[in-house]
Amino acid sequence: MRKSEPESGLNFNLIMPAALLLVLLVVPFSVNSFMHMFSAKKQFINTLMMKIPIDSAAITIPATVKQYEPFDVALNLETKKFARLLNETVSMPSEGTAIQGITGVVSHDMKAEISGEDFEIDKQGPQEQLSAYRGTANWRWRVTPESSGSHDLKFQLHLLTQNNGQQSTKVLDLAEASFSVQANPSEWFKRHWLWVVSLLLVPAAIIFGLRRRRVR
């Protein structure tokens, strides 16, 4: 009897940290997943907020998006007209008319970029214009939401400016799109089934080990 007491105490000291680790891993992960799924089911409207006074029709986003399912985002901008608007605003500086600190003359040759957390984007960083038909430049991206819930996608323009003979670049915040990404439980399980099985095996192994100790 005296020999079994240290063994049971040792088993308890080994099992408790393992069980605690399991709880710390599983509970927050499960709560986070369920919260994302619940919030995604309540909200279905994607919104677009322009940060520059231009028509929001220049940006195309889908009405609904689903986790892990890619969608297309497009930007069609009349760059010459837009550069002229910026230059007119800069040339007549007055209170309330400055546009994000832009100075000098803006070129119509500009690049575009989109960025956002929890999104996989096929083209990273500033992108050259795909085409310029009748003065309208086109950009296209393929975007895949990596998690459900509310996520933002930012649109930026990289402008080329010239001021007093000095050439420089300026990043201009163009718009921000807010997406309500619907959960995709089936695809989530396909991607994470190994983790789920591994987590389920841990308590099973602990119970099996306890039973073996009791039999002995």
Side-chain angles (χ1 to χ4, degrees):
M1 292 297 293
R2 292 181 178 177
K3 292 183 179 179
S4 62
E5 289 178 359
E7 290 181 2
S8 62
L10 179 61
N11 292 337
F12 182 80
N13 292 334
L14 291 175
I15 292 170
M16 283 305 295
L20 181 60
L21 178 61
L22 177 65
V23 172
L24 292 175
L25 288 174
V26 174
V27 173
F29 180 77
S30 302
V31 171
N32 185 56
S33 298
F34 280 115
M35 287 298 292
H36 275 306
M37 291 181 184
F38 181 73
S39 62
K41 288 181 179 179
K42 289 180 62 178
Q43 304 173 4
F44 290 99
I45 301 175
N46 298 330
T47 60
L48 180 65
M49 181 180 68
M50 305 302 296
K51 297 187 176 182
I52 296 296
I54 61 174
D55 191 352
S56 61
I59 296 176
T60 303
I61 62 173
T64 59
V65 295
K66 196 171 184 179
Q67 183 183 13
Y68 301 128
E69 294 186 0
F71 60 89
D72 293 321
V73 170
L75 171 60
N76 302 310
L77 184 64
E78 295 183 26
T79 52
K80 290 185 178 181
K81 183 178 180 180
F82 181 61
R84 186 163 60 250
L85 170 65
L86 294 177
N87 289 328
E88 289 176 356
T89 304
V90 172
S91 64
M92 297 182 295
S94 61
E95 186 177 354
T97 61
I99 298 182
Q100 300 183 24
I102 295 177
T103 57
V105 179
V106 178
S107 170
H108 68 272
D109 185 14
M110 53 189 69
K111 300 178 182 179
E113 178 183 10
I114 63 172
S115 60
E117 296 182 0
D118 297 309
F119 287 106
E120 181 181 320
I121 303 171
D122 64 341
K123 302 171 185 174
Q124 299 288 334
Q127 300 298 312
E128 298 282 355
Q129 304 171 15
L130 292 178
S131 62
Y133 180 70
R134 293 184 178 180
T136 300
N138 303 292
W139 291 270
R140 296 287 186 277
W141 295 271
R142 190 75 167 168
V143 182
T144 304
E146 292 296 306
S147 63
S148 60
S150 299
H151 303 290
D152 297 328
L153 197 62
K154 297 180 180 180
F155 293 77
Q156 294 179 320
L157 289 175
H158 292 252
L159 308 177
L160 186 64
T161 64
Q162 190 166 10
N163 189 16
N164 296 326
Q166 297 291 326
Q167 196 175 68
S168 60
T169 57
K170 174 69 177 179
V171 179
L172 181 71
D173 292 327
L174 181 63
E176 184 172 309
S178 297
F179 292 91
S180 182
V181 183
Q182 301 178 44
N184 192 345
S186 60
E187 185 63 28
W188 181 92
F189 185 77
K190 289 179 183 177
R191 298 187 178 205
H192 301 92
W193 68 269
L194 186 59
W195 280 102
V196 175
V197 172
S198 299
L199 290 174
L200 291 176
L201 287 176
V202 171
I206 293 174
I207 295 172
F208 179 75
L210 285 174
R211 288 183 176 178
R212 291 192 61 184
R213 292 293 183 183
R214 288 179 181 176
V215 171
R216 291 179 181 179

